Amino acid sequence: MMNFYDVVVIGAGHAGCEAAMASARIGAKTLLITLNMDHIAQMSCNPAIGGIAKGQVVREIDAMGGAMGIVTDSASIQFRMLNRTKGPAVWSPRSQCDKVCYQRGMKLWLEQMPQVDVLQSEVTAFLMDNGKITGVTNQFGDEIHCAAAVVTTGTFLNGKLHYGLRNFPGGRAGDFPSNSLSAALGEQLKLRLGRLKTGTPARILAKTIDFSQMARQECDSEEERFSCWSAGHSPALPEAVRHDLPCYQVYSTDETAEIVRRNLQYSPMYQGVIKGIGTRYCPSFEDKVVRFPQHPRHLLFLEPEGAQTEEYYINGLSTSLPPEVQRQLIHSVPGMEHAVLSRYAYAIEYDFVFPDQLERTLRIKSCDNLFTAGQINGTSGYEEAAGQGLLAGLNAARIAQGKSPVELGRDSSYIGVMIDDLTTKDIIEPYRLFTSRAEYRLVLRQDNADLRLSEFAYETGLLPESKYREFCAYRSALTEVLELCRSRRHAGKSLLVHLKDLPDNTPLAEATVRLPFPAGLLPELNDDRQGRRIWRELQVEARYDGYLQREAAEISRLRKLETLQIPADFDYDRIKGLSNESRSKLLKVRPTTLAQAGRIDGVTPADIALLQVALSRKNREATEK
């Protein structure tokens, strides 16, 4: 191990892995520090990647050369495209993964990657000089110097596990917490820390489950995977033994809800033992029963933990009730009357950094070379963490190389939507992405992530030449087909207009017999992966052409506002007419552009007009000087 690195990444969860790889890909010598080498990229909760909006993020990570999509494809035991009955703006890929296979695949890739070293130790403090990070120290007394650092500690900062009214220190079940680093963030760096809460369900053994009482949920039969790249770009990773394992659906019962109501006095949430705030969109089962008494039952999913384990994850039955009550709950569900628990459910509290202290580059405002990513920023989910990690790692490496950090906009990615929300809105609960959070979700589809982001990734050094050439070939082929379909006409209308008449999601193999014009007019498409992908893009462009043009116009207006920069030291007290609430919010967030200022809760359109006038005056005065 060296004594100096360009970038040190603290924490090897999903954010840390992408951060270290992104940093290394653009040429920065990187050290990834983790508490446990065997728990790199651990799937602490559900062993699944993707889902609503989350699947779009994984595709974006992949389009920028990241690892999550490729590792997911190798570890996938079930792939499904969610929301297929709705429009393409909300289609979301999701893979159930073999958790051990995923973890081993990511660990192997990191160990093989040039420019990345990995060290098992606990970071206890920062080395500082004149307000900048110059390195870190660990429990062994090592001093590791660096030019920039990324903190991706997940749920480990002062982590506390709750099993009923019993609680234990831990970053997750089986791992000790990181208490010294939390103190360093608060005391050394003077960052404001808060407290959040999340949890995970129990696991049960397959041989004790009666699956005949449950609805079987099969894999999608269509050809799909997360990564857009051909196999030659991926390292040799561990493969899941099977890729077609089913999941199961079942409903809880009146008895399940009654067991919760009888035992609320043992719930740490309802007895005030847990102080952290939990996520609204992934509530504990006792929260569902209390908050939604009108629903006598709740849908549960039984999902395999892997292809070579008999453990099943009970999605929808997260709880912090005591183990003896957990057994009663599970035994009240059809098919689980005799289920044996292999791991108890628990809730976990942990410290996080209020993200209004971050720039949209994920750099800490008060420290020029420190970045944070993942649950430490108040988010939930592997995918949200990985997306932040990629940008934080890229920017930390750029700082180490003497370059300016970069941002991702709301108009270009779900990652940009998330980071803009984190740094602009008040985060009072774990943040979770949804397609509804994106104003331009028809543009930000899961199928076009490379068209949106691969050029940016290549320009910043994230995407290697070989992948960029493959992307350019695909983009050229797609552009040629689209232009031909716009220019060729039949019966007075372009082929693109005619294609609107095709039924939704018509397969390429059936297109020639269903086309509303002579098949010879359609540009030739091979029935291979690229040809089928071009065909799907063509159908989306045809059906939603008007909507896409409208969103493009709105994005153009947004970009004009994003170009109106607000200096970091701008004096809001000089603007007469600003409400006190708006002034305090603007001072707290310190938006970098007029567009971001307009998205701050409590800042009105009238305030934005006053701010625009003040900025114009300031720019005019600067020009006259």
Side-chain angles (χ1 to χ4, degrees), residues 97-410:
C97 291
D98 184 311
K99 64 187 291 186
V100 173
C101 185
Y102 184 96
Q103 186 270 325
R104 288 178 176 170
M106 190 68 79
K107 180 175 183 284
L108 178 64
W109 196 346
L110 277 163
E111 291 167 345
Q112 292 177 343
M113 192 162 195
Q115 298 288 90
V116 174
D117 291 341
V118 188
L119 174 67
Q120 179 172 294
S121 73
E122 179 187 3
V123 172
T124 55
F126 296 98
L127 301 173
M128 306 286 295
D129 182 27
N130 201 24
K132 283 193 172 186
I133 304 292
T134 60
V136 299
T137 61
N138 62 17
Q139 82 271 39
F140 303 115
D142 294 333
E143 291 192 355
I144 303 162
H145 296 272
C146 63
V150 185
V151 182
T152 65
T153 45
T155 61
F156 279 73
L157 295 180
N158 275 332
K160 183 185 286 187
L161 312 177
H162 294 269
Y163 298 83
L165 300 181
R166 299 182 182 92
N167 55 69
F168 315 95
R172 59 178 162 229
D175 286 313
F176 57 86
S178 178
N179 297 338
S180 298
L181 185 59
S182 187
L185 290 166
E187 295 168 15
Q188 268 192 288
L189 302 182
K190 309 301 182 187
L191 295 176
R192 287 185 295 109
L193 304 180
R195 198 84 171 142
L196 293 176
K197 167 256 174 188
T198 187
T200 188
R203 273 64 161 180
I204 58 178
L205 296 177
K207 64 185 177 185
T208 63
I209 305 169
D210 181 3
F211 292 110
S212 67
Q213 298 188 58
M214 303 175 184
R216 188 178 169 107
Q217 190 180 53
E218 300 287 357
C219 306
D220 278 0
S221 57
E222 296 182 32
E223 166 203 52
E224 278 285 4
R225 53 190 174 93
F226 268 106
S227 183
C228 66
W229 310 109
S230 57
H233 296 294
S234 306
L237 299 176
E239 281 276 339
V241 174
R242 288 182 60 184
H243 297 273
D244 60 349
L245 284 176
C247 296
Y248 297 87
Q249 294 177 320
V250 67
Y251 282 93
S252 64
T253 63
D254 289 334
E255 183 188 354
T256 320
E258 183 56 34
I259 291 168
V260 169
R261 286 190 283 266
R262 286 201 309 264
N263 290 280
L264 282 176
Q265 69 269 31
Y266 304 116
S267 166
M269 283 176 52
Y270 286 89
Q271 296 306 310
V273 177
I274 291 177
K275 306 298 182 185
I277 301 170
T279 177
R280 188 188 339 169
Y281 305 105
C282 189
S284 67
F285 192 78
E286 51 265 40
D287 225 15
K288 293 180 187 178
V289 171
V290 171
R291 288 167 53 192
F292 309 109
Q294 71 275 23
H295 295 296
R297 61 179 193 163
H298 297 277
L299 182 61
L300 309 175
F301 295 85
L302 265 72
E303 300 169 333
E305 293 258 293
Q308 293 183 301
T309 177
E310 288 290 288
E311 284 189 292
Y312 271 74
Y313 173 99
I314 313 174
N315 194 343
L317 197 56
S318 179
T319 181
S320 56
L321 287 165
E324 56 271 23
V325 179
Q326 294 182 32
R327 280 189 284 269
Q328 294 176 43
L329 286 174
I330 288 169
H331 291 162
S332 70
V333 177
M336 292 193 276
E337 295 88 348
H338 306 290
V340 171
L341 278 71
S342 55
R343 308 186 200 213
Y344 295 128
Y346 62 88
I348 181 168
E349 284 185 284
Y350 56 95
D351 290 346
F352 80 106
V353 171
F354 283 102
D356 57 54
Q357 299 168 97
L358 300 174
E359 300 173 356
R360 287 193 289 182
T361 62
L362 295 180
R363 178 168 61 178
I364 296 288
K365 292 175 182 176
S366 58
C367 187
D368 285 349
N369 63 341
L370 179 64
F371 297 78
T372 55
Q375 284 178 280
I376 190 175
N377 289 342
T379 58
S380 64
Y382 310 143
E383 304 83 0
E384 288 96 331
Q388 292 172 69
L390 184 144
L391 185 67
L394 165 65
N395 281 331
R398 288 178 67 88
I399 289 294
Q401 295 167 349
K403 301 174 183 176
S404 298
V406 294
E407 299 177 357
L408 286 171
R410 298 182 72 90

Side-chain angles (χ1 to χ4, degrees), residues 441-493:
R441 53 188 171 272
L442 187 55
V443 169
L444 306 184
R445 302 187 309 278
Q446 54 81 30
D447 57 272
N448 67 354
D450 53 345
L451 297 172
R452 294 185 274 116
L453 294 168
S454 289
E455 190 72 42
F456 163 84
Y458 179 68
E459 290 171 356
T460 54
L462 283 172
L463 200 66
E465 187 70 34
S466 58
K467 283 187 176 179
Y468 183 66
R469 285 198 300 269
E470 185 174 297
F471 160 69
C472 288
Y474 165 71
R475 182 175 59 182
S476 296
L478 173 62
T479 301
E480 182 181 352
V481 169
L482 277 170
E483 288 177 352
L484 285 170
C485 287
R486 285 194 172 100
S487 61
R488 286 181 183 173
R489 308 185 73 78
H490 173 73
K493 295 187 294 186

Side-chain angles (χ1 to χ4, degrees), residues 415-435:
I415 297 173
V417 170
M418 167 180 59
I419 293 172
D420 186 70
D421 283 350
L422 287 174
T423 56
T424 306
K425 310 292 185 186
D426 288 330
I427 301 301
I428 57 173
E429 63 183 357
Y431 176 93
R432 182 175 180 177
L433 264 175
F434 293 99
T435 50

